[in-house]
Amino acid sequence: GAVVSQHPSRVICKSGTSVKIECRSLDFQATTMFWYRQFPKQSLMLMATSNEGSKATYEQGVEKDKFLINHASLTLSTLTVTSAHPEDSSFYICSATPSGGVTGELFFGEGSRLTVL
Amino acid sequence: SQKIEQNSEALNIQEGKTATLTCNYTNYSPAYLQWYRQDPGRGPVFLLLIRENEKEKRKERLKVTFDTTLKQSLFHITASQPADSATYLCALPFSGGYNKLIFGAGTRLAVHP
């Protein structure tokens, strides 16, 4: 199956700093990628839809100035958590569907565990 | 708004038995429904997709049913093995959102030897 890679898998940062998480589709092109956040024992919550070459679409309640998304190429989307605070500590997961691929089937990255001290 | 409900309690079963997980949804008529497996600290892995015009779908030891009248999907693992222990997530597409998925909270399955 298609492979999605996330980096870093774990990151610890101080409060107030910014953290960038990369999501790459390794063997396919993806015009659209999705960013999810998951708190312990909770469901995945969709944060935003990343669109190649255009602005991301954010879900209600997600601050676009805090969670900056850039989808500069057909294989790379980045999520930058700006001025991170302890409440931003979470598991961030990206997903993608091959352009022209099977309806709905998403391929997920391994996730990035962010801990803000 | 769309709502997905999965049994939040863990399901404990004996190896070799059939595990059955439930996914109920409301305020919605999805074109398809998906099931994913998630291991601790990992991203979800796609298992099966079933469309609204399909009542049942199988893949090896997995079987999914989709009852659009009851607004329910059942996910079965036959001849379960300890390696099947994981959290299983039900997912539906956002209304009007192609490929955007909303996930249930998941049910943790533990298969004991």
Side-chain angles (χ1 to χ4, degrees):
Chain A
V3 179
V4 175
S5 174
Q6 265 186 258
H7 178 81
S9 57
R10 291 179 180 273
V11 58
I12 301 173
C13 70
K14 292 183 179 180
S15 187
T17 60
S18 293
V19 173
K20 180 186 284 189
I21 301 170
E22 292 187 347
C23 178
R24 294 181 184 273
S25 55
L26 297 187
D27 51 1
F28 66 96
Q29 293 184 332
T31 53
T32 302
M33 292 184 177
F34 302 97
W35 286 96
Y36 288 84
R37 179 167 55 181
Q38 187 176 34
F39 292 105
K41 297 187 178 181
Q42 292 189 26
S43 179
L44 280 76
M45 298 300 296
L46 180 65
M47 298 175 66
T49 302
S50 174
N51 304 298
E52 188 268 336
S54 65
K55 291 182 179 180
T57 305
Y58 290 82
E59 296 301 310
Q60 192 172 10
V62 178
E63 299 175 57
K64 62 180 181 180
D65 294 329
K66 181 168 185 62
F67 298 100
L68 301 180
I69 292 172
N70 183 278
H71 195 149
S73 76
L74 287 171
T75 59
L76 174 64
S77 174
T78 59
L79 168 68
T80 301
V81 183
T82 62
S83 186
H85 290 285
E87 57 265 30
D88 298 324
S89 299
S90 187
F91 191 50
Y92 292 87
I93 315 174
C94 72
S95 67
T97 298
S99 300
V102 175
T103 299
E105 180 180 346
L106 290 183
F107 296 94
F108 283 84
E110 289 295 338
S112 299
R113 172 81 54 195
L114 171 63
T115 302
V116 185
L117 303 177
Chain B
S1 61
Q2 302 162 245
K3 195 173 180 182
I4 302 176
E5 290 184 354
Q6 292 186 256
N7 192 339
S8 59
E9 294 181 15
L11 178 63
N12 292 283
I13 65 168
Q14 209 66 31
E15 181 176 10
K17 301 291 186 184
T18 296
T20 299
L21 286 69
T22 304
C23 174
N24 294 295
Y25 59 93
T26 57
N27 301 326
Y28 192 27
S29 295
Y32 60 85
L33 181 148
Q34 300 184 35
W35 285 88
Y36 287 79
R37 168 181 173 145
Q38 186 176 25
D39 290 286
R42 309 289 291 273
V45 174
F46 172 81
L47 295 176
L48 280 167
L49 180 153
I50 186 167
R51 299 185 187 280
E52 61 180 337
N53 60 348
E54 298 175 313
K55 292 205 179 299
E56 180 181 300
K57 201 154 194 179
R58 294 174 184 260
K59 179 182 176 182
E60 298 174 350
R61 293 184 295 110
L62 309 180
K63 184 178 85 170
V64 172
T65 63
F66 193 11
D67 189 325
T68 55
T69 300
L70 290 178
K71 295 188 182 294
Q72 180 182 80
S73 174
L74 298 178
F75 176 81
H76 307 273
I77 305 176
T78 59
S80 59
Q81 305 166 359
D84 296 326
S85 300
T87 295
Y88 291 86
L89 307 171
C90 170
L92 298 170
F94 273 75
S95 179
Y98 191 79
N99 282 347
K100 277 175 58 171
L101 295 182
I102 179 171
F103 283 83
T107 298
R108 190 166 64 84
L109 172 67
V111 182
H112 302 283

